[in-house]
Amino acid sequence: MRDPMAMERANLLNMAKLSIKGLIESALSFGRTLDSDYPPLQQFFVVMEHCLKHGLRVKKSFLGFSKSLWGPLELVEKLCPEASEISASVRDLPGLKTPLGRARAWLRLALMQKRLADYLRLLITRKDLLSDFYEDSALMLEEEGAVIVGLLVGLNVIDANLCVKGEDLDSQVGVIDFSMYLKNDMDDYRSEERNSQIASILDQKNYVEELNRQLNSTVHGLHSRVDSLEKSNSKLIEELAIAKNNIIKLQEENQQLRSENNLILMKAQHHLEVTQGDTSLERDTYKQSRQGLDEMFNEAQRQLKEECQLRQDVENELVAQVSMKQEMELAMKLLEKDIHEKQDTLIGLRHQLDEVKAINVEMYQKMQSSDEEMKKKNDVISRLEEKTNQITATMKQLEQRLQEAERHRSSAVEGSRRFKLDFANKADSLQRQIELREKQLQQLETDLKIEREWRQTLQNDLDRERDMVSQLSTEALQINGLKKEFHRLQEENIQLKTICEDQEKALEELGSKLSEYVNAHKRLKPDELLGGQVWLKDKDATHCKLCEKEFSISRRKHHCRNCGEIFCNSCSDNELPLPASPKPVRVCDTCHALLLQRCSSTTT
């Protein structure tokens, strides 16, 4: 005879196949969304209810015995967090009062969500949790449950719109209508056509789902790339703001230098006008007074021409500095233009997600080139700043020299000659200082390169030392583990040594006592004792008769010479003379107490 539970499982599996197949075929022929009044859908829920009730354990309560489907279905919320929304909505429904009604509502909501097969697959994989609700031979714990869950995947092609709130799910009676699944030959032919249609539809559905998964993965990758590009764009915008601030500062400094140059030119023109007036007056006076002053006038005029030549040189240097400033401004404008072009390319990248990889490589190369250009332009700007500082210093020195020239111009020819000599000496010293500064600048650049190389070597040495430290730390951990293992083995060795010494002592005592036993056996009969008691054999005793401790190598056996029983050393560590033996022999604690009591009674 077959197992009745196996027969029930087979019947339920066949009914589930028929109901799922009929529901898919009728739904595809129906051609629109299913509602609660659709008969094949109602029969499907009835069959699923019977499948989930098979082998359900009976639970005791105050009202009696009950079987509830809501218990195992409620576990899905713990296994899959996505099912918490369904469970919460089922608990919040006002018309449901029984656990069976909640289970029916849960099945309908899971079908509308097209996740019924996924939820039940998670449930049957946890047989350790289902064993609390089902018997061992229940359908949910056997292979038939996995087959039914596989069949439920085909229901994902069905769209259902079920009104759970107004339906009375507590009082429904689940009866299977077999008349819906009894078909003739014509129906079989139509079912084959429908099966082919369903197979093609399922293949299309699987293809669309796989395509959707691939598109989702590509969309996630593109989103991450767009986020990285936005971060790089924000960094470029910050760098652009910093560059703009630097440009504004340089423009302000340029304006200050221009204003200072204008002031210097105005002062020089004023001084020239004053000197021209003075020279004209002196020339008139010299013509009226002496003819010898013509030579002094010629010398003064020659000095004036030299000063004009110096002023022209200073103006040329200023014009060169202004041109360098203009070139710097053009370079900064070109940098802004490059940054705007990069921003335009970033905006274009968002609209061209299919070509992200190639454009990303180009942007990376452009960023590297722009970084190199920025470094070069920063170096040019720093050099221009140094040169402007040098020009300001030279301008200040020239102003001092002009003041000294004005002071000494009123003096005689000797003062003018001294001024000329001093001016020439100072020009030579300034040229020397400029050369020295250029040499210092070159030396500083070489020192900077050497320092960068030295830092790179130090960084490499530091990385090597870090690797060595990590290796040494791992070796130290291994050594510590070996030390702990060595200490543990030493402790075990000490314990084994102590046990071995105790056993050797016990064996020595056993040998000495064995010789005594041999002598005593020679004097006694094989089956009787001194007092006529029966001698208990060693193999018949495994525990001490008094303390009931098990005998071992360290806990040896000892016979009592009075009663013949076997005891341990602590329970038979007494010696008394017996009537059969004048010498003191070993007796147990009980015999020792009895013999002492007899002796005391005889003496009295």
Side-chain angles (χ1 to χ4, degrees):
M1 294 294 292
R2 290 181 63 186
D3 187 9
M5 295 291 286
M7 294 176 67
E8 289 178 2
R9 290 197 302 271
N11 292 332
L12 288 172
L13 177 61
N14 293 325
M15 286 306 302
K17 288 180 180 178
L18 289 173
S19 64
I20 293 169
K21 182 179 177 182
L23 179 59
I24 293 171
E25 291 176 354
S26 60
L28 292 175
S29 62
F30 195 55
R32 61 185 180 85
T33 305
L34 305 180
D35 54 2
S36 300
D37 297 331
Y38 193 60
L41 187 60
Q42 293 178 355
Q43 287 299 312
F44 166 72
F45 287 124
V46 172
V47 173
M48 285 303 300
E49 185 178 341
H50 281 281
C51 292
L52 292 173
K53 280 184 178 179
H54 183 263
L56 196 64
R57 291 182 185 271
V58 180
K59 291 191 176 181
K60 295 181 181 180
S61 62
F62 293 103
L63 301 176
F65 299 95
S66 64
K67 292 183 178 180
S68 176
L69 290 177
W70 179 239
L73 294 179
E74 201 173 6
L75 290 174
V76 181
E77 183 180 1
K78 298 178 181 178
L79 299 175
C80 183
E82 296 176 358
S84 60
E85 183 179 356
I86 297 176
S87 301
S89 60
V90 168
R91 294 189 191 97
D92 295 337
L93 287 174
L96 299 178
K97 297 180 181 179
T98 61
L100 181 60
R102 295 190 187 95
R104 289 171 177 171
W106 189 90
L107 289 173
R108 284 158 173 77
L109 292 175
L111 182 65
M112 284 193 292
Q113 201 180 15
K114 296 184 180 181
R115 296 295 301 277
L116 182 60
D118 297 334
Y119 294 154
L120 292 180
R121 185 184 294 108
L122 290 173
L123 192 61
I124 63 173
T125 53
R126 297 299 300 273
K127 293 184 179 180
D128 54 345
L129 299 176
L130 287 178
S131 60
D132 297 335
F133 298 95
Y134 290 97
E135 300 291 340
D136 294 333
S137 59
L139 185 139
M140 295 296 289
L141 297 177
E142 297 295 334
E143 295 179 355
E144 288 83 354
V147 174
I148 291 172
V149 170
L151 293 172
L152 291 175
V153 177
L155 296 177
N156 293 335
V157 300
I158 297 173
D159 294 329
N161 187 8
L162 307 177
C163 184
V164 183
K165 188 173 182 181
E167 192 174 357
D168 186 11
L169 299 175
D170 293 329
S171 60
Q172 287 183 1
V173 179
V175 179
I176 300 173
D177 186 8
F178 293 96
S179 63
M180 297 179 62
Y181 308 111
L182 299 175
K183 299 179 181 180
N184 52 17
D185 296 334
M186 192 67 186
D187 294 333
D188 293 335
Y189 178 72
R190 291 176 180 174
S191 64
E192 289 178 359
E193 292 180 352
R194 289 174 183 174
N195 286 332
S196 62
Q197 292 176 0
I198 289 166
S200 62
I201 290 169
L202 289 175
D203 292 336
Q204 291 175 1
K205 174 184 170 291
N206 293 326
Y207 173 72
V208 170
E209 287 180 352
E210 184 67 25
L211 185 61
N212 191 10
R213 290 193 193 95
Q214 292 178 359
L215 289 173
N216 286 328
S217 63
T218 54
V219 166
H220 286 303
L222 291 172
H223 279 303
S224 62
R225 290 171 185 170
V226 167
D227 293 334
S228 63
L229 288 173
E230 286 179 352
K231 290 180 181 177
S232 62
N233 189 11
S234 62
K235 290 181 180 178
L236 288 173
I237 290 168
E238 291 177 357
E239 292 177 356
L240 178 61
I242 293 167
K244 285 182 178 179
N245 293 325
N246 293 327
I247 289 167
I248 292 167
K249 290 179 181 178
L250 291 172
Q251 288 177 355
E252 292 177 354
E253 291 177 356
N254 191 5
Q255 290 177 359
Q256 290 178 0
L257 289 172
R258 286 179 180 177
S259 61
E260 290 177 357
N261 288 330
N262 292 325
L263 291 173
I264 291 166
L265 289 171
M266 290 173 67
K267 288 180 180 179
Q269 288 177 359
H270 180 68
H271 289 304
L272 286 172
E273 291 175 356
V274 171
T275 52
Q276 286 177 359
D278 294 335
T279 52
S280 62
L281 291 171
E282 287 176 356
R283 185 176 59 188
D284 294 334
T285 54
Y286 288 156
K287 283 181 180 180
Q288 291 176 1
S289 59
R290 292 178 183 177
Q291 294 178 356
L293 293 175
D294 292 335
E295 295 177 357
M296 294 174 68
F297 175 75
N298 293 325
E299 290 177 358
Q301 193 173 6
R302 192 167 51 252
Q303 290 177 0
L304 182 61
K305 287 181 181 179
E306 290 176 357
E307 288 177 359
C308 290
Q309 186 66 33
L310 290 172
R311 185 177 65 81
Q312 188 67 31
D313 294 335
V314 171
E315 287 178 356
N316 292 328
E317 289 180 359
L318 289 174
V319 169
Q321 291 295 326
V322 169
S323 64
M324 291 176 72
K325 287 287 184 179
Q326 289 177 356
E327 290 177 358
M328 183 179 66
E329 289 176 358
L330 289 172
M332 296 306 291
K333 287 179 180 179
L334 290 172
L335 179 61
E336 288 181 358
K337 187 175 180 181
D338 293 335
I339 292 168
H340 286 300
E341 288 177 356
K342 290 176 184 177
Q343 288 179 350
D344 293 334
T345 53
L346 287 174
I347 293 167
L349 281 172
R350 293 181 181 175
H351 298 290
Q352 296 175 356
L353 291 175
D354 296 331
E355 299 177 353
V356 167
K357 291 183 179 180
I359 295 171
N360 193 4
V361 171
E362 292 177 1
M363 282 297 296
Y364 183 71
Q365 292 176 356
K366 288 181 180 180
M367 286 174 65
Q368 287 182 348
S369 62
S370 64
D371 290 332
E372 292 176 357
E373 290 177 358
M374 285 289 290
K375 290 179 181 178
K376 291 179 181 178
K377 289 174 182 178
N378 288 325
D379 295 333
V380 172
I381 289 167
S382 61
R383 291 174 183 175
L384 289 173
E385 288 178 354
E386 290 175 357
K387 287 182 180 180
T388 51
N389 292 324
Q390 292 177 2
I391 288 166
T392 52
T394 54
M395 291 299 294
K396 289 179 181 179
Q397 290 177 0
L398 289 172
E399 287 179 358
Q400 292 176 0
R401 289 170 187 171
L402 288 171
Q403 290 177 0
E404 290 176 359
E406 288 175 358
R407 291 174 185 173
H408 296 285
R409 193 171 290 168
S410 60
S411 63
V413 178
E414 293 177 359
S416 63
R417 288 177 183 176
R418 290 176 184 175
F419 175 73
K420 185 176 180 181
L421 293 171
D422 292 334
F423 185 77
N425 292 326
K426 287 179 180 180
D428 294 332
S429 64
L430 284 172
Q431 188 67 28
R432 291 172 186 173
Q433 287 178 2
I434 290 168
E435 291 176 356
L436 288 172
R437 292 291 173 86
E438 289 178 354
K439 290 180 181 178
Q440 289 176 359
L441 181 61
Q442 292 177 357
Q443 185 67 29
L444 288 173
E445 287 179 353
T446 53
D447 293 337
L448 183 60
K449 289 181 182 178
I450 293 166
E451 187 176 359
R452 285 177 181 173
E453 293 176 355
W454 182 65
R455 284 184 180 177
Q456 188 65 31
T457 53
L458 287 177
Q459 187 67 30
N460 295 328
D461 295 335
L462 183 61
D463 294 333
R464 293 195 196 94
E465 289 178 357
R466 285 177 180 172
D467 295 334
M468 290 293 292
V469 168
S470 62
Q471 291 178 1
L472 291 172
S473 62
T474 54
E475 291 177 358
L477 292 173
Q478 292 177 358
I479 290 167
N480 290 326
L482 292 173
K483 283 183 179 178
K484 290 179 181 178
E485 186 69 20
F486 179 71
H487 289 308
R488 185 178 64 77
L489 292 172
Q490 281 184 344
E491 291 176 356
E492 290 181 357
N493 190 9
I494 292 166
Q495 291 177 0
L496 291 172
K497 282 182 180 179
T498 53
I499 292 168
C500 185
E501 289 176 357
D502 293 337
Q503 290 178 356
E504 287 178 354
K505 290 179 182 178
L507 288 172
E508 289 177 357
E509 292 177 0
L510 185 63
S512 61
K513 295 295 181 182
L514 185 62
S515 62
E516 293 179 1
Y517 290 159
V518 170
N519 295 325
H521 274 288
K522 288 180 181 179
R523 293 193 302 269
L524 295 173
K525 293 181 180 180
D527 295 331
E528 295 182 356
L529 290 173
L530 297 174
Q533 299 292 333
V534 177
W535 186 269
L536 186 64
K537 294 181 180 180
D538 291 341
K539 63 181 181 180
D540 295 337
T542 57
H543 295 77
C544 179
K545 190 175 181 180
L546 284 179
C547 63
E548 295 183 354
K549 293 181 179 179
E550 188 177 2
F551 293 114
S552 62
I553 296 174
S554 60
R555 186 178 288 107
R556 295 180 291 105
K557 300 177 182 179
H558 298 281
H559 282 85
C560 178
R561 298 297 187 273
N562 188 33
C563 62
E565 298 290 339
I566 295 175
F567 303 90
C568 63
N569 187 25
S570 60
C571 297
S572 62
D573 193 12
N574 303 304
E575 290 185 354
L576 281 177
L578 296 176
S581 176
K583 292 183 179 180
V585 294
R586 182 183 291 272
V587 294
C588 63
D589 292 341
T590 55
C591 294
H592 185 261
L594 288 172
L595 291 172
L596 289 176
Q597 188 176 3
R598 287 177 185 176
C599 291
S600 62
S601 61
T602 53
T603 54
T604 55

